[in-house]
């Protein structure tokens, strides 16, 4: 066991994910929460004290604790009606964590991670000028003020007592289960209704909740994190229009964005009393996480496109295209996998002479290596190295076949054209099947740069399958299909996965090889 972590605010949107992540990493988790039903199995649930009280007694919660993650907060509220909003924010966001840090220092706790907010730095940035840890704090509301005061007080406790305090300032956090304005935008995007956001060209940084949890875990242990403040984001700042398109695609829709002048939208916000909401929708707020990346070596485990795909797919209900494997299908794949690897080994032996002959012909046909290797997306979009016979000239750009056709490129060698039409260039992928990176049948492995296809596949659940040497979409359309149609056919294969459909794909594959109707 790495240690015992007290997570304060464990049942919240971020807290649930942080608890799961810490348990997975081998920590014991003591989860201070109001509702135990939201906590993951394995967490020790304790009642969250009343953080608004004048004197919270933290001592009973600190027995055996080595680390603390403070996530509880009185969150930002539009048009707050509390008679003294600043006092209300200070009680939960500043005073409670300060008392906990003082008690933790006395109890010998090693590290204290405090989740602050980018609102410490304000609400907006100029294009191309992201906030950094060196940016001047400029909170504009009681929430931001309380977070800044908490940071200063906690870092002061750390300096005075030796408690290693780490402050994280994220922008908007999103992911499955997110609520408020982000959820409203995601649902609107998924309905395919016209939205007046086509002309919005702002830049806003976000952070996926799993990426934030990963940084929290790193902040708990990294020696260079102690006594420091870190801003954090996914790394890619998006316009509201681009964000809407991504959320729509993740739900199997194409966003319908109308170009309405931004000034009109700003005026609409003023007339309806929603100026603050409209400002966040239209304005820029960029955050640089360069310090966390360089000093801690942090890299978000989930790229933005995959995080948005997971978030959008989580909204699909009933009529969505998302498909999950049934228990019978999982059993079928568990039995099929070992058989495929044995068959791949047998085919490599039987086809050895043909493979050797093709290798010789490739070397004689054009200069360069026999094998072509490339990073492709595997199951769960994890990258792996694919093997193929080289069919193109050395130095060809790393593009998909469709993109080469669209750009008018024809880098295929004389022998390469024959190999592609007969699909013999795929034979080395038997090595990928043998290693478990691919299957004989499945969705064709996409390039890691083919974000639209990967996003659609994740939304449809297709990424649960190993990529295949041949596949249903491939033998029924090859590269003639649009990305949307390919994924629809991949999803149809996933839905009907079983021996009968696999036999049909094998029959169509053999027919394609015999007739020479593969890639041109």
């Amino acid at each position: 066991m790495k240690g015992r972590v007290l997570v304060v605010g464990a049942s919240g949107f971020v807290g649930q994910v942080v608890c799961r992540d810490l348990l997975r990493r081998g920590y014991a988790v003591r989860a201070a929460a109001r509702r135990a039903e939201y906590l993951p199995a394995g967490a020790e649930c304790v009642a969250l004290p009343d953080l608004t009280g004048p004197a919270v007694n933290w001592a009973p919660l600190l027995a055996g604790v080595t680390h603390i993650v403070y996530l509880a907060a009185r969150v930002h509220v539009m048009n707050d009606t509390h008679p003294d909003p600043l006092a209300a924010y200070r009680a939960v966001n500043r005073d409670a964590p300060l008392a906990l840090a003082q008690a933790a220092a006395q109890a010998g706790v090693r590290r204290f991670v405090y989740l602050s907010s980018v609102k410490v730095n304000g609400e907006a940035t100029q294009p191309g000028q992201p906030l950094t840890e060196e940016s001047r704090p400029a909170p504009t509301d009681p929430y931001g003020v309380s977070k800044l005061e908490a940071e200063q007080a906690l870092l002061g406790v750390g300096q005075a007592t030796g408690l290693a305090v780490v402050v994280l300032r994220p922008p908007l956090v999103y992911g499955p289960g997110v609520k408020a304005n982000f959820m409203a935008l995601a649902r609107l995007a998924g309905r395919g209704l016209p939205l007046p956001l086509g002309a919005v060209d702002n830049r806003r940084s976000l952070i996926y909740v799993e990426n934030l949890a990963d940084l929290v875990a790193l902040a708990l242990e990294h020696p260079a994190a102690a006594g420091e403040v870190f801003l954090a984001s996914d790394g890619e700042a998006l316009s509201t229009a681009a964000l809407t398109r991504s959320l729509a695609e993740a739900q199997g829709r194409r966003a319908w964005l109308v170009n309405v002048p931004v000034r009109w939208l700003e005026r609409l916000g003023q007339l309806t009393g929603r100026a603050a909401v409209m400002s966040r929708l239209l304005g820029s707020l960029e955050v640089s996480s360069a310090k966390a990346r360089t000093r801690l070596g942090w890299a978000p485990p989930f790229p933005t496109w995959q995080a948005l795909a997971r978030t959008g797919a989580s909204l699909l209900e009933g009529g969505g295209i998302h498909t999950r494997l049934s228990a019978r299908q999982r059993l079928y794949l568990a039995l099929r996998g070992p058989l495929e690897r044995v068959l791949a080994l047998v085919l490599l032996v039987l086809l050895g002479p043909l493979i050797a002959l093709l290798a010789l012909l490739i070397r004689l046909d054009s200069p360069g290596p026999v094998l072509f290797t490339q990073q492709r997306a595997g199951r769960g979009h994890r990258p792996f190295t694919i093997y193929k016979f080289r069919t193109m000239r050395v130095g060809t750009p790393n593009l998909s076949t469709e993109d080469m056709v669209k750009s008018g490129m024809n880098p295929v060698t004389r022998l390469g054209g024959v190999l592609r039409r007969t699909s013999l260039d795929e034979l080395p992928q038997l090595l990928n099947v043998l290693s478990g990176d691919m299957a004989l049948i499945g969705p064709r492995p996409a390039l890691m740069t083919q974000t639209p296809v990967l996003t659609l596949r994740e939304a449809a659940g297709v990424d649960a399958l190993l990529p295949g040497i041949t596949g249903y979409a491939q033998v029924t359309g090859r590269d003639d299909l649009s990305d949307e149609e390919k994924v629809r056919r991949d999803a149809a294969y996933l839905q009907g996965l079983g021996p009968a459909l696999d036999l049909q794909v094998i029959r169509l594959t053999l027919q394609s090889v015999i007739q020479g109707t593969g890639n041109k």
Side-chain angles (χ1 to χ4, degrees), residues 441-454:
I441 303 171
R444 286 295 294 156
L447 293 169
M448 295 301 296
T449 55
Q450 288 180 285
T451 302
V453 173
L454 297 177

Side-chain angles (χ1 to χ4, degrees), residues 414-437:
R414 289 173 300 175
L415 178 61
V418 177
L419 295 177
R420 291 162 72 88
R421 284 193 297 274
T422 57
S423 296
L424 291 174
D425 61 320
E426 315 283 5
L427 284 179
Q429 288 166 45
L430 291 170
L431 295 171
N432 291 117
V433 176
L434 197 59
S435 66
D437 290 326

Side-chain angles (χ1 to χ4, degrees), residues 44-95:
E44 174 196 356
C45 180
V46 295
L48 181 67
D50 180 9
L51 303 182
T52 63
V56 178
N57 181 17
W58 290 107
L61 278 67
L62 293 175
V65 169
T66 56
H67 305 74
I68 294 173
V69 178
Y70 192 93
L71 305 174
R74 186 176 194 267
V75 297
H76 180 260
V77 179
M78 294 284 191
N79 303 317
D80 200 327
T81 58
H82 194 281
D84 189 352
L86 183 56
Y89 282 114
R90 280 172 169 163
V92 179
N93 300 347
R94 184 196 64 181
D95 299 343

Side-chain angles (χ1 to χ4, degrees), residues 211-295:
N211 289 339
L212 179 57
D214 183 77
L215 181 57
V216 168
L218 184 61
L220 282 175
E221 291 293 345
H222 202 294
E228 297 291 340
V229 176
F230 295 95
L231 274 70
S233 74
D234 288 338
E236 181 181 357
L238 299 173
S239 69
T240 302
L243 174 62
T244 305
R245 291 189 186 97
S246 296
L247 291 171
E249 288 176 359
Q251 298 172 75
R253 296 273 193 174
R254 186 180 294 275
W256 183 3
L257 301 183
V258 181
N259 288 337
V260 175
V262 172
R263 289 183 180 179
W264 293 10
L265 297 175
E266 291 173 339
R267 182 59 176 162
L268 177 63
Q270 295 169 357
L271 293 174
T272 59
R274 307 282 287 177
V277 174
M278 201 63 74
S279 176
R280 291 176 176 82
L281 198 63
L282 306 177
S284 293
L285 182 59
E286 293 185 71
V287 170
S288 171
S289 54
K291 180 179 176 180
R293 293 169 185 264
T294 56
R295 188 166 299 187

